[in-house]
Amino acid sequence: MADKESLDMFCYQCSQTVRGTGCTKRGVCGKEPTVARLQDNLLIATKGMAAYLYHARELGYTDTEIDAFLERVFYSTFTNVNFDAEDFVRLAIEGGEMNVKTMKLLKKAHIETYGEPEPTEVRTGTVKGKGIIATGHGLKALEELLKQMEGTGINVYTHSELLPAHGYPGLKKYKHLVGNLGISWRDQKKLFSKYPVAILGTSNCVVPPKDDYKDRMFTTGPAKLPGVKHISGYDYTPVIEKAKALPELDNEPGVVTLTTGFSKSVVLSLKDKIKALVENGKIRHFFLIGGCDSPNKKMEYYREFAQKLSMDTIILTLGCGKFRFNDLDLGDIDGVPRLIDLGQCNDSIVAIDIVLALSEVFDVGVNELPLTLVLSWMEQKAVAVLWSLLALGIKGIYIGPILPAWVNEDILNVLKEKYDLKLIGEPEGDIKQMLK
């Protein structure tokens, strides 16, 4: 996705390509621009839900209520079916509720299949030997790859949203899962060119490859790329054979060690200690900083934001946006880490559960907690998560670096009025405002 100003979209109501984020005038369909944008919002959010549902279904977990909701959304957004803007707002809130249900389903699937995540230090850099990089969100695909590679002597490295795999007991048990290379999805071309290894893309967030590594890249599941061999099912023999034919990597440890795997139970096991630290003034504020990364230069905001936070604050993080700052050594507060990585974007449900539990611990409403949510870049999954948070009544959320593409002035005014939604500014000023 790009900034609004440079984004061309096809208005399916008026059957024309328009500059910006949607039709700027009532077309032959008779729909107001705001209705068209709210439809876009709903479709974008349900795309995110569908991605989570796909991975849950891979592991044998389904929910007919969620399926029925998606069916209703797709029909409601069909041309000349629904012209009611208020109804689309209600559907978006219901979509947020359904996305909570979806994330719970996927989290259940992951935990019952691979065990509950536990804090784990993850090596960066390379280990001597041949290798494969797995990228995306597909834990099932990663597991099948790891199984088939036992005894081959080939090492596996995670990339981007597969970093949290290291925290699951059922995946970290494989000794050839040796570390993580690179940052978020946006560094793929540079990273994959650098290391002569086989590459497996398991989900969304793969990008068209450069010629110098196209012949050693493979996709699986929903991911497909031009000129790249696609593997249907889970037989990854071609990936393994390609890795065997490539040169060995040198032993080159990275300059940082990443930590992931903070599950709901791990964080809540510290709730009494956290309560005492808050009451004693040692923890002043919590920040939930999560969402998607993008190449937008304005995303540098999040690293500067994390660096400027005082030592009496704690960051909960998830999604690939965390790669903007998760290499920072922020220390701890009496044994409670200042940077707590909760996992993938779908693990927003873990953050939600923790926040709800803390509101019970402190016996206050969620919006009275010393907590601020700062969410980065609004692509499909992030839009679904945003509506989940709004459906739970959470207010005062900061988002950026740009507004979601479906937001116009009318929609923004509603979001500001009903939910106190804010657009990020500059880190120092925002922090002062958040800590008031």
Side-chain angles (χ1 to χ4, degrees):
M1 185 173 288
D3 283 39
K4 299 182 174 186
E5 296 84 356
S6 62
L7 189 65
D8 287 331
M9 295 186 68
F10 183 76
C11 178
Y12 47 86
Q13 279 83 20
C14 300
S15 299
Q16 61 182 350
T17 299
V18 293
R19 173 70 71 176
T21 57
C23 189
T24 56
K25 59 183 179 180
R26 187 194 298 265
V28 294
C29 62
K31 292 195 177 179
E32 293 284 359
T34 295
V35 172
R37 288 167 182 263
L38 287 170
Q39 285 187 326
D40 289 341
N41 157 62
L42 201 54
L43 289 171
I44 289 168
T46 50
K47 284 180 181 180
M49 289 176 59
Y52 296 150
L53 282 172
Y54 178 92
H55 292 300
R57 190 179 295 273
E58 273 190 303
L59 297 171
Y61 291 73
T62 60
D63 188 302
T64 56
E65 184 183 5
I66 300 170
D67 294 341
F69 173 75
L70 293 177
E71 183 179 279
R72 182 153 51 92
V73 165
F74 295 147
Y75 193 22
S76 295
T77 54
F78 193 81
T79 303
N80 298 341
V81 171
N82 189 341
F83 292 75
D84 188 343
E86 290 186 7
D87 189 53
F88 279 113
V89 174
R90 287 191 292 270
L91 275 171
I93 292 295
E94 186 179 354
E97 295 167 351
M98 282 295 166
N99 189 55
V100 168
K101 192 176 178 68
T102 303
M103 291 189 294
K104 283 182 179 291
L105 180 70
L106 181 54
K107 191 73 227 177
K108 179 181 180 182
H110 283 164
I111 289 176
E112 292 186 355
T113 305
Y114 306 118
E116 186 150 12
E118 52 197 25
T120 303
E121 291 189 344
V122 183
R123 171 188 173 129
T124 59
T126 58
V127 176
K128 185 171 179 57
K130 298 174 186 289
I132 296 174
I133 295 175
T135 187
H137 303 74
L139 296 188
K140 169 69 173 176
L142 177 62
E143 178 197 25
E144 294 301 326
L145 178 66
L146 291 168
K147 283 181 182 177
Q148 295 166 39
M149 289 177 60
E150 285 193 289
T152 64
I154 301 171
N155 298 314
V156 177
Y157 302 86
T158 56
H159 171 252
S160 192
E161 285 277 67
L162 277 179
L163 167 65
H166 294 269
Y168 287 93
L171 296 173
K172 65 187 290 186
K173 69 181 182 182
Y174 293 98
K175 302 304 179 186
H176 47 292
L177 181 62
V178 296
N180 187 82
L181 291 177
I183 49 173
S184 68
W185 64 271
R186 64 187 173 87
D187 78 340
Q188 285 180 45
K189 292 188 177 183
K190 180 179 179 181
L191 181 77
F192 297 166
S193 291
K194 178 179 179 180
Y195 295 109
V197 297
I199 306 149
L200 181 64
T202 67
S203 73
N204 61 300
C205 297
V206 289
V207 299
K210 293 171 62 177
D211 289 341
D212 62 358
Y213 64 82
K214 184 185 292 185
D215 67 329
R216 52 187 173 85
M217 185 168 187
F218 302 81
T219 56
T220 190
K224 290 188 178 182
L225 292 169
V228 170
K229 181 176 176 59
H230 181 76
I231 297 175
S232 299
Y234 299 101
D235 182 357
Y236 298 128
T237 301
V239 186
I240 298 170
E241 291 304 313
K242 175 59 73 172
K244 288 178 179 178
L246 293 168
E248 288 191 349
L249 299 176
D250 293 327
N251 185 49
E252 295 181 351
V255 296
V256 299
T257 298
L258 304 177
T259 302
T260 190
F262 287 91
S263 64
K264 171 185 172 182
S265 64
V266 168
V267 176
L268 293 186
S269 70
L270 300 169
K271 64 182 181 181
D272 292 337
K273 186 172 189 177
I274 290 173
K275 183 179 182 182
L277 289 171
V278 171
E279 291 174 343
N280 293 334
K282 292 189 174 182
I283 295 178
R284 180 184 181 188
H285 205 80
F286 298 88
F287 292 89
L288 173 56
I289 308 176
C292 315
D293 199 0
S294 87
N296 194 313
K297 184 173 176 59
K298 296 176 183 178
M299 283 293 295
E300 294 172 3
Y301 169 96
Y302 291 91
R303 185 176 187 85
E304 186 179 348
F305 185 95
Q307 289 173 317
K308 287 184 178 296
L309 290 177
S310 57
M311 295 298 293
D312 56 359
T313 59
I314 286 179
I315 298 173
L316 303 171
T317 190
L318 42 78
C320 64
K322 65 173 170 278
F323 283 100
R324 288 288 175 167
F325 55 84
N326 70 337
D327 61 318
L328 297 174
D329 182 2
L330 300 181
D332 65 86
I333 302 175
D334 287 2
V336 178
R338 288 196 58 231
L339 180 60
I340 299 176
D341 178 8
L342 302 176
Q344 296 180 333
C345 53
N346 58 276
D347 289 316
S348 299
I349 191 60
V350 179
I352 288 170
D353 286 343
I354 289 171
V355 168
L356 294 176
L358 287 177
S359 72
E360 292 182 7
V361 169
F362 290 100
D363 194 26
V364 297
V366 169
N367 293 311
E368 298 172 85
L369 286 169
L371 167 73
T372 303
L373 281 65
V374 190
L375 307 181
S376 61
W377 198 47
M378 297 282 112
E379 65 98 53
Q380 287 95 327
K381 295 176 182 178
V383 172
V385 172
L386 174 63
W387 282 105
S388 293
L389 297 170
L390 299 181
L392 291 168
I394 296 175
K395 296 185 177 182
I397 299 171
Y398 284 74
I399 64 171
I402 57 175
L403 284 169
W406 46 270
V407 174
N408 65 4
E409 188 173 350
D410 290 340
I411 296 171
L412 180 60
N413 287 338
V414 171
L415 293 175
K416 284 180 175 179
E417 182 180 344
K418 291 191 68 173
Y419 302 104
D420 193 26
L421 194 73
K422 306 173 189 292
L423 186 63
I424 61 171
E426 55 86 22
E428 191 166 353
D430 285 347
I431 291 170
K432 287 180 180 179
Q433 183 65 32
M434 294 170 187
L435 292 178
K436 277 187 177 180

